[in-house]
Amino acid sequence: MYEERFDKRKFDELRPMEAETGIIPNANGSARFKIGNTEAYAAVYGPQEVKPKHLEKVDRAIIMCRYDMMPFSVPDRAKPGFDRRDMEISEVITNSLNRAVILEEMPRSMIDVRVYVSQADAGTRCASLTAAAMACADAGLPMRDLVAAVAAGKIGDSICLDLTKEEEDFHEGGATDVPIGFLPSKNEIVLLQLDGKVSREDLKKIIEIGKIGAAKIYELQKAALKRRFSNESQS
Ligand code: CDP
């Protein structure tokens, strides 16, 4: 049984969030997204020449994304180097961005996306994807929509939004974690993973609660981008 959340949040409540764009002067686009104690920075370079050349596509751009955790982002110092987990997360973020960015408008080019997690308390792939989508918009890339991503799941008997690491590790009754990425205005899911076991009915409820959370994240993303572009037009 999990009747009250460790941090006293309601079951459908997100952790406190912060979002900003245009924070890295040397990148074409950048963003920071923080949700509770999970924080991600994203930098976008391009569209630029494809290197190595053989990866070039004549009819569209390619996205190359790399996710990394800073050594101090977790209690036990994250190991340096690109491990299987980093590889998997880089790939799922790339796949999601491929659905959001209009690649056909930038043939023969490459978009390099770098995401760094500075603090990790679960949900880093979702925070990274949320930041990466904002950074793509900040770079002025043509996009079908932003991606707003959040993990939801089931802790004990309770469907929960935006799990913490402490909740993910809940043993009594088990924990299921479902990272979900949405194109909110298109009502499309571009990321859906499942770590654990749930019934089909519960999965529907988890996606529904995730969608409500993503709508709030989307508002924050749009507000951050509006702030950035209105500041730019004033200067
Ligand atoms: O971060 P996310 O939930 O997307 O992916 P995960 O692989 O399920 O990792 C869950 C959490 O485990 C991370 O957010 C970190 O809080 C923690 N973790 C860690 O403490 N040390 C690592 N080397 C990797 C993850």
Side-chain angles (χ1 to χ4, degrees):
M1 292 290 273
Y2 186 57
E3 284 169 350
E4 187 181 35
R5 297 185 81 169
F6 294 125
D7 58 9
K8 310 277 184 253
R9 264 183 301 150
K10 295 193 205 103
F11 287 107
D12 61 353
E13 190 179 340
L14 294 164
R15 290 176 282 179
M17 298 184 287
E18 291 171 21
E20 55 179 335
T21 58
I23 50 162
I24 301 171
N26 292 327
N28 297 108
S30 56
R32 179 181 72 91
F33 179 68
K34 187 165 193 258
I35 184 158
N37 291 321
T38 290
E39 182 179 52
Y41 287 83
V44 169
Y45 301 87
Q48 59 196 12
E49 196 185 330
V50 183
K51 280 185 192 153
K53 193 79 179 162
H54 71 269
L55 295 175
E56 187 178 279
K57 301 278 180 207
V58 289
D59 57 345
R60 61 185 170 90
I62 56 164
I63 294 179
M64 304 282 264
C65 172
R66 185 161 169 165
Y67 160 102
D68 210 350
M69 287 177 112
M70 294 187 189
F72 46 77
S73 61
V74 285
D76 297 336
R77 181 177 175 267
K79 283 199 193 117
F82 198 51
D83 63 17
R84 287 176 68 90
R85 177 177 174 275
D86 299 335
M87 219 183 283
E88 177 217 324
I89 297 180
S90 301
E91 194 166 324
V92 296
I93 294 175
T94 307
N95 291 344
S96 303
L97 293 177
N98 279 342
R99 300 275 300 277
V101 177
I102 308 173
L103 301 171
E104 299 75 21
E105 288 192 13
M106 300 167 287
R108 296 183 186 279
S109 66
M110 176 174 102
I111 296 141
D112 189 11
V113 180
R114 299 284 167 143
V115 195
Y116 295 96
V117 173
S118 55
Q119 284 184 65
D121 182 12
T124 65
R125 74 195 62 207
C126 290
S128 299
L129 177 53
T130 298
M134 283 195 289
C136 288
D138 184 49
L141 301 182
M143 294 178 79
R144 295 175 62 224
D145 199 357
L146 290 166
V147 189
V150 67
K154 191 172 180 187
I155 314 293
D157 287 334
S158 306
I159 305 290
C160 292
L161 179 63
D162 186 21
L163 276 52
T164 61
K165 176 76 176 138
E166 195 180 12
E167 288 180 323
E168 274 191 2
D169 293 343
F170 187 76
H171 285 303
E172 196 189 321
T176 298
D177 175 34
V178 183
I180 320 171
F182 295 90
L183 301 186
S185 72
K186 306 271 176 207
N187 201 21
E188 272 180 44
I189 293 177
V190 292
L191 167 72
L192 185 64
Q193 293 186 283
L194 173 74
D195 185 6
K197 252 187 183 174
V198 276
S199 66
R200 185 184 285 254
E201 273 318 300
D202 280 345
L203 183 59
K204 277 189 193 159
K205 288 183 198 156
I206 290 169
I207 294 174
E208 221 29 64
I209 206 175
K211 194 169 169 180
I212 294 165
K216 291 182 182 149
I217 294 172
Y218 188 47
E219 290 310 313
L220 197 77
Q221 288 177 302
K222 287 192 292 184
L225 285 158
K226 271 187 201 151
R227 255 193 334 268
R228 159 95 160 127
F229 287 108
S230 65
N231 286 348
E232 211 165 70
S233 61
Q234 278 164 21
S235 58

